[in-house]
Amino acid sequence: MALTNSREKNFAEWYTELCLKAKLFSYGEAKGTINYLPYGWAIWKNIVHELDKRLKATGVLEVQLPLFIKASDFAKEKQHIEGFAPEAFTITTQNGQTLDDPLILRPTSEVLFSRLFKNEIKTYNDLPIKYNQWCSVYRMEKNTKPFLRGCEFFWHELHAMFQTQQECEEYTLKIHKLYNDFLKYVCCLDVLEGKKTESEKFAGAVDTYTREVLAQDGQCIQTGTSHYLGQNFAKMYDIKYQTNNNEFAVPYYMSAGLTTRLIGDLIVVHGDDKGLVLPSLLAPVQVAIISLFTKKEPLVETLCKQIYDSLNTSFRVEFDNSDEQFGYKITNHELRGVPITIAIGPNDAKNNKATMIRRDLGTKQLIDLDNIVDFIKQQLQEYNVNIYNKSKIFLQSSIVEVDNIDDFIKGINNRKVIKACWGGSIEDEAKLKEMTQATPRCIVSNASETDKCFFTKQKAKYIIYFAKAY
């Protein structure tokens, strides 16, 4: 069960081996697809549960839309089609007959929601409208990696329309903050966050807000984006509503999404050479209970069952009473990222005690079993704070500020995130990427009047985080 690859020597092989041995997935028949196995899917379902209730608290209603988009509809929004056409899967025939209007497998659903909103929105009383769906989408990716980049992935996509630009922009930022809080307090991830540059923003958006997770190999991963779309889609699909003055107006549109890529984020940020380290709210098993010996000891078995019954109403608990050796059981729970393991032997049972193993610390502690529920709650809180702080320390220590291209290249080669002043064009971004493989991940803030771009040496517009990215 133990991992044979290390993060330091071969990060890519470590990642894949961990995912396979932890039984998160198996490879699908079609290139770029995977089977989500029970443990991996359970992590996603916990993400869905935690995020869905937070979205619904903002007034979102759940819907489910079709998979297919007419190619003629898809082509209406120029920037959108240019951004997604190279990745689109297209159905051109049906029953052996060529389709006059081919069908696109949804790479995203702005077109579908625009069509829906055209029928749903008639007057100002219908606004705001906030719909969300949990679904799969399809994009033809060249370089695939389980969870992080695939031809099929799962996500939530939120789509909303408002009467005014201010309402729409405020809600876009509200979801931006919701994502930030979710990643911090549920996923225990510290992130870079800000607005995307023109070349990096969502196809068809006015503004895109992002969060960027930093993997232990120094590459960033875009995680959860919210987009202010303005009136572009509404105009293209002729969406209008009657105002309270009996006039007609065009609504403002936003969308947002967070995907199964988050499973990969948890692995590449929190994982270690023993396996997964999962935040307690997302771990399929929060507490594992095991006996020290393969031989069944009646007193030990009884106490294990009592502890299980005490904890099972408050936590996701697993009682491992298999015939596997103790070392195998410990390794297995480490590999799967179980936050707390409770081990009990005959002497422990006689004294109403147990040994607690915290996955984040790797330490063993003899504990009293009185008030076990409150004790485990406290331990899980400390566990979450600890893995978040580790994530924060790693991210902050990985950021370096530069003011010239030589230091930029040195930093990127040392797997750092670069913070630098930027005043270049989209063409300059492309040149920088060709030279260094690094891209602007997000805008930190506007530059001051005296700041100079590190690349062009002209007046800077922004301060930006740069990094290599998955």
Side-chain angles (χ1 to χ4, degrees), residues 403 420-426 428 445-464 466:
D403 60 7
C421 296
W422 181 256
S425 63
I426 292 177
D428 289 327
S445 64
N446 292 326
S448 72
E449 287 296 322
T450 58
D451 285 333
K452 300 292 184 182
C453 174
F454 84 92
F455 191 64
T456 67
K457 299 304 180 182
Q458 303 300 310
K459 185 180 183 302
K461 298 176 184 176
Y462 306 110
I463 298 173
I464 289 180
F466 295 85

Side-chain angles (χ1 to χ4, degrees), residues 79-141:
Q79 287 181 304
H80 194 63
I81 183 65
E82 288 178 352
F84 282 104
E87 299 177 345
F89 286 92
T90 306
I91 298 173
T92 58
T93 61
Q94 182 177 7
N95 295 330
Q97 302 296 315
T98 300
L99 293 172
D100 294 331
D101 194 352
L103 299 174
I104 306 292
L105 298 186
R106 62 182 173 221
T108 181
S109 300
E110 277 70 18
V111 174
L112 293 168
F113 274 94
S114 293
R115 282 299 192 193
L116 177 66
F117 287 155
K118 180 176 173 58
N119 295 324
E120 292 279 300
I121 299 170
K122 301 301 180 185
T123 76
Y124 68 94
N125 290 315
D126 298 320
L127 295 170
I129 188 168
K130 304 172 186 175
Y131 284 169
N132 179 61
Q133 72 170 351
W134 294 93
C135 65
S136 56
V137 291
Y138 302 86
R139 298 178 187 176
M140 191 177 293
E141 298 282 1

Side-chain angles (χ1 to χ4, degrees), residues 54-274:
R54 289 165 172 80
L55 292 170
K56 286 177 178 173
T58 73
V60 172
L61 299 176
E62 191 169 346
V63 296
Q64 196 67 46
L65 274 59
L67 170 63
F68 303 118
I69 305 171
K70 288 183 178 180
S72 57
D73 273 350
F74 191 68
K76 284 187 176 181
E77 214 289 336
K78 184 175 183 295
Q79 287 181 304
H80 194 63
I81 183 65
E82 288 178 352
F84 282 104
E87 299 177 345
F89 286 92
T90 306
I91 298 173
T92 58
T93 61
Q94 182 177 7
N95 295 330
Q97 302 296 315
T98 300
L99 293 172
D100 294 331
D101 194 352
L103 299 174
I104 306 292
L105 298 186
R106 62 182 173 221
T108 181
S109 300
E110 277 70 18
V111 174
L112 293 168
F113 274 94
S114 293
R115 282 299 192 193
L116 177 66
F117 287 155
K118 180 176 173 58
N119 295 324
E120 292 279 300
I121 299 170
K122 301 301 180 185
T123 76
Y124 68 94
N125 290 315
D126 298 320
L127 295 170
I129 188 168
K130 304 172 186 175
Y131 284 169
N132 179 61
Q133 72 170 351
W134 294 93
C135 65
S136 56
V137 291
Y138 302 86
R139 298 178 187 176
M140 191 177 293
E141 298 282 1
K142 293 181 180 178
N143 300 312
T144 60
K145 196 170 189 64
F147 304 117
L148 293 174
R149 192 171 291 278
C151 292
E152 177 189 30
F153 57 87
F154 294 85
W155 71 350
H156 94 88
E157 48 179 325
L158 165 63
H159 298 258
M161 280 194 166
F162 300 82
Q163 290 187 53
T164 68
Q165 177 178 340
Q166 181 179 346
E167 285 180 291
C168 192
E169 288 181 325
E170 286 178 351
Y171 190 70
T172 305
L173 289 170
K174 183 173 185 175
I175 297 302
H176 178 60
K177 183 179 185 304
L178 185 152
Y179 281 158
N180 286 342
D181 290 346
F182 180 78
L183 291 173
K184 179 177 181 178
Y185 297 110
V186 176
C187 304
C188 306
L189 294 169
D190 194 34
V191 298
L192 306 172
E193 59 95 8
K195 188 164 34 173
K196 283 290 191 182
T197 63
E198 282 297 308
S199 67
E200 290 285 324
K201 70 182 183 181
F202 179 77
V206 178
D207 292 314
T208 289
Y209 299 90
T210 185
R211 282 129 301 278
E212 304 282 328
V213 167
L214 182 64
Q216 294 175 61
D217 67 348
Q219 296 191 79
C220 277
I221 307 168
Q222 179 179 292
T223 302
T225 48
S226 49
H227 318 287
Y228 169 62
L229 303 173
Q231 294 177 307
N232 296 342
F233 283 91
K235 288 178 179 178
M236 286 294 172
Y237 296 93
D238 194 30
I239 305 171
K240 297 176 182 177
Y241 68 95
Q242 191 172 14
T243 70
N244 57 358
N245 296 323
N246 292 322
E247 298 174 343
F248 285 93
V250 177
Y252 293 83
Y253 189 11
M254 68 78 62
S255 66
L258 187 147
T259 81
T260 39
R261 177 178 287 180
L262 184 52
I263 298 174
D265 294 341
L266 298 174
I267 298 168
V268 298
V269 175
H270 295 313
D272 61 23
D273 288 346
K274 294 181 179 179

